Amino acid sequence: MALGPAARNARPAPDGLRGHAAARGLIYGAAVSAADIGGAGGLPGALATECGMLVPGNELKWSRLRPAPDTFDFGPADAIHAFADANGMLFRGHTLLWWKQLPAWFAGTATAGNAAGLLETHINTVVAHFKGRAQSWDVVNEGLDPKSDRSDGLAPSAWLDLLGPGYIATAFRLAHAADPSALLVYNENNMDDDSGYSDRKRAQVLSLLTSLRDEGVPVGALGIQAHLSATETTINPEKLRGFIGAVADLGLKVIISELDVRDDRVPGAPADRDVAVARIYAAYLDAVLAEPNVIAVVTWGLSDKWSWLNRYWHRKDGLPLRPLPLDADLTRKPAWRAMMGAFDAAPNRPGPG
Ligand code: XIL
């Protein structure tokens, strides 16, 4: 008999983060790349111990998946799915539609006349490929922008130019038709701070989700990316909980979908930096996990060795960042213990949704 989602997520490794999460009905997972799973070293073992779900970091983006308008390359994403499946993990898809990481051919090929067809083919093909095998899909990524001059707050995007503001609803309807069993997620960034910018983003997100719900669009969850900073993130637990509660009132779940904590400006030795990073993990997760509609936490990577942040952020002392639960040698850090503590303290969920 096939294992149901709860059993898959929980098995085995009771001492890993996956076990601590599953004991509360939560899912813990991480973003990975096919190359890193296939490479030498202990990463596959650490993933199997710690993670109840995997998400490809880049392999399902248009730029990687669709090298030409009529060609799909599922190989690397399939390798991640196979590894997840072999280790009893769930699989999550990221992302069906984004204004970034489009293939080089897109700008010269996509027109107002063919864009709807390109999107329909994409979502039908990709979601059907993983039908019944994906816990969730990030259907639309980063659609809103607090600096937008539009009243609906939509971010500048080729999709907006080509298809108009209805592109978000269209994408969700196509994804639902292709796999009615997958949880469909609107994924967004910069909603975490106690700042005017995050206030505006949260208001834009609630307004978008409300209109999608009112139009009967099959959105099931909000993905909160949560790329945090040990020095810049300002956490207001009441505000975060109020926002997540308002999302729950719309009937939607929440996935913390890309959590990491930058330490590019934390002075001192690695041990001190790790404490500062862990403090943010604890404060953030304690706040958001108090809301029962938060069903999953995904970090954007598992080990510091493979964090994407090192390509974009640099420390004055030239040392690499330490933003994730495991260090470059796959040793558990204070951030790992902060996550474990937050999972252990979280109220019980009815089960992975
Ligand atoms: C990142 C990848 O991790 C990098 O390897 C790539 O160079 C850029 O994109 N928000 C998202 C993710 O939704 O897709 C991004 O992933 C990180 C920010």
Side-chain angles (χ1 to χ4, degrees):
M1 196 180 73
L3 289 173
R8 295 168 67 79
N9 171 51
R11 174 178 74 90
D15 69 323
L17 288 177
R18 69 188 288 181
H20 286 272
R24 295 288 176 271
L26 277 161
I27 301 166
Y28 167 67
V32 292
S33 83
D36 298 339
I37 286 186
L43 183 65
L47 290 168
T49 300
E50 305 291 358
C51 297
M53 182 159 70
L54 295 183
V55 53
N58 288 301
E59 288 81 349
L60 289 169
K61 293 170 180 170
W62 279 62
S63 54
R64 294 284 187 91
L65 189 59
R66 208 162 169 187
D70 299 320
T71 312
F72 288 84
D73 178 8
F74 281 107
D78 281 345
I80 294 172
H81 186 281
F83 177 82
D85 205 43
N87 289 283
M89 303 162 167
L90 301 167
F91 179 85
R92 168 172 159 66
H94 170 85
T95 171
L96 297 171
L97 188 160
W98 193 17
W99 54 273
K100 277 189 181 166
Q101 291 188 260
L102 288 165
W105 56 261
F106 190 87
T109 305
T111 64
N114 66 15
L118 284 169
L119 183 64
E120 187 173 341
T121 301
H122 190 86
I123 294 182
N124 285 347
T125 306
V126 178
V127 177
H129 182 85
F130 291 103
K131 187 173 183 186
R133 304 190 295 147
Q135 178 266 355
S136 55
W137 275 103
D138 287 338
V139 178
V140 174
N141 197 30
E142 300 178 359
L144 293 163
D145 180 357
K147 294 200 284 276
S148 168
D149 50 17
R150 298 173 53 94
S151 60
D152 56 15
L154 291 183
S157 162
W159 295 111
L160 179 59
D161 294 345
L162 294 167
L163 299 176
Y167 81 88
I168 295 180
T170 300
F172 276 94
R173 291 199 166 102
L174 288 167
H176 182 69
D179 185 357
S181 73
L183 180 68
L184 301 185
V185 181
Y186 175 75
N187 199 46
E188 188 55 87
N189 62 12
N190 294 331
M191 294 175 277
D192 316 291
D193 270 320
D194 191 7
S195 68
Y197 190 84
S198 280
D199 285 345
R200 279 196 294 285
K201 180 59 86 62
R202 286 187 287 260
Q204 288 178 331
V205 167
L206 285 179
S207 151
L208 172 66
L209 293 176
T210 302
S211 42
L212 292 174
R213 198 249 347 236
D214 291 349
E215 291 162 29
V217 176
V219 53
L222 171 67
I224 298 181
Q225 291 188 8
H227 293 292
L228 309 180
S229 157
T231 45
E232 284 143 62
T233 297
T234 49
I235 294 174
N236 178 331
E238 289 72 33
K239 227 179 228 188
L240 281 175
R241 290 191 59 180
F243 172 62
I244 292 172
V247 174
D249 290 343
L250 293 171
L252 302 177
K253 308 285 190 200
V254 165
I255 294 178
I256 307 301
S257 57
E258 304 186 14
L259 179 61
D260 51 21
V261 181
R262 286 190 278 122
D263 63 339
D264 51 303
R265 289 180 184 216
V266 183
D272 303 318
R273 292 161 49 193
D274 287 353
V275 170
V277 165
R279 275 204 192 109
I280 297 290
Y281 270 94
Y284 189 79
L285 289 177
D286 284 348
V288 300
L289 292 179
E291 294 301 316
N293 61 321
V294 178
I295 60 163
V297 176
V298 177
T299 49
W300 207 242
L302 178 64
S303 150
D304 295 338
K305 185 168 178 181
W306 291 276
S307 171
W308 72 298
L309 293 168
N310 282 310
R311 285 201 296 285
Y312 297 88
W313 302 89
H314 301 284
R315 292 179 54 81
K316 274 197 192 132
D317 62 15
L319 293 174
L321 274 60
R322 301 175 62 86
L324 288 166
L326 304 187
D327 73 11
D329 298 322
L330 302 172
T331 302
R332 291 169 174 173
K333 294 163 53 193
W336 184 96
R337 289 185 278 284
M339 295 194 79
M340 184 199 75
F343 291 155
D344 289 351
N348 276 319
R349 270 73 177 157

